Amino acid sequence: MKRVYKGNNNVFWSSLISLSLSLFLLFFLLHLSKRGIYIQFGTPPPWSGHTIISAILILIATISISRMIKVRQLKYFVIALGLVIVIIISLAFLLINPPGETKYTRITSPDNKTKYLVVETGAGRLYRLSDSGMYMTFVTPIRTDDGYLPFADNAYKIEWLSSNHFILHYAFNRDSPYKDYREITVHLE
């Protein structure tokens, strides 16, 4: 059987280690995403840090695999495949969060202990920001009519019961923003 890799043993093992670490970290990011936890670099935009880290890890895995392969055509194929995956992830992120259309509203508890972020792109999502600002946790969706953005229009009220317990009252549609209010009760431990 013909070996795919012939050459310096150090390059092979360093590539194998970096491939293993990048795949482990990619699965760890996937695990965090499934739990509604997103790494971020400041706000807004949300989870861009998560997307950037995923793209970097995919590129590291691609480079590691290509360094382990000696056949030139296969090496180019692996590099092209990695780049296509990164481009697809980036385009999907931009489709979900259009740069000019996404609106962000920060909410801070009266005692300034807890911070929240509402992200509106036609459908709203409420996140709780970590104290460090390095990650945020999904709390609840915010449903409106026909892509209305009540938080961007300042058509909401908050009834604070504590810094982790509050009731959000928000306008459901733009036709009668002050008549048709919906409410969400948020109680975090």
Side-chain angles (χ1 to χ4, degrees):
M1 184 169 181
K2 186 176 178 182
R3 285 179 36 190
V4 174
Y5 180 81
K6 297 177 192 170
N8 190 343
N9 234 359
N10 291 336
V11 172
F12 176 79
W13 286 108
S14 64
S15 297
L16 186 63
I17 290 169
S18 65
L19 173 65
S20 301
L21 282 173
S22 59
L23 290 176
F24 171 77
L25 291 172
L26 277 169
F27 283 114
F28 182 67
L29 284 176
L30 181 65
H31 175 72
L32 289 177
S33 296
K34 289 192 180 274
R35 293 185 169 269
I37 300 171
Y38 301 95
I39 295 173
Q40 62 181 17
F41 304 127
T43 54
W47 67 80
S48 63
H50 211 79
T51 306
I52 291 168
I53 291 172
S54 296
I56 290 170
L57 289 172
I58 290 170
L59 288 175
I60 290 171
T62 301
I63 292 168
S64 299
I65 292 171
S66 70
R67 291 188 66 181
M68 294 167 58
I69 297 173
K70 194 71 172 169
V71 179
R72 181 175 284 167
Q73 290 84 2
L74 188 57
K75 183 181 285 202
Y76 292 149
F77 175 76
V78 167
I79 291 171
L81 183 64
L83 290 175
V84 166
I85 291 171
V86 168
I87 289 169
I88 289 171
I89 288 172
S90 301
L91 289 176
F93 175 76
L94 290 174
L95 286 174
I96 293 171
N97 298 293
E101 298 176 18
T102 304
K103 304 295 181 197
Y104 308 96
T105 305
R106 286 178 178 251
I107 299 171
T108 305
S109 65
D111 59 4
N112 287 329
K113 288 186 179 178
T114 312
K115 294 180 177 136
Y116 299 90
L117 180 70
V118 176
V119 180
E120 295 177 297
T121 57
R125 296 176 304 274
L126 176 68
Y127 296 92
R128 180 181 180 186
L129 301 174
S130 68
D131 293 336
S132 66
M134 293 300 291
Y135 67 93
M136 61 188 191
T137 307
F138 176 76
V139 176
T140 187
I142 299 171
R143 310 255 187 253
T144 60
D145 185 34
D146 293 331
Y148 177 57
L149 311 175
F151 291 86
D153 285 348
N154 207 19
Y156 68 95
K157 294 183 269 184
I158 302 174
E159 185 180 332
W160 291 98
L161 305 172
S162 74
S163 62
N164 291 329
H165 188 194
F166 58 93
I167 302 171
L168 273 177
H169 303 274
Y170 65 93
F172 181 69
N173 63 41
R174 78 182 80 235
D175 297 331
S176 58
Y178 298 104
K179 294 179 184 173
D180 189 11
Y181 268 81
R182 302 290 164 97
E183 71 176 45
I184 297 174
T185 301
V186 176
H187 185 71
L188 303 172
E189 304 272 334

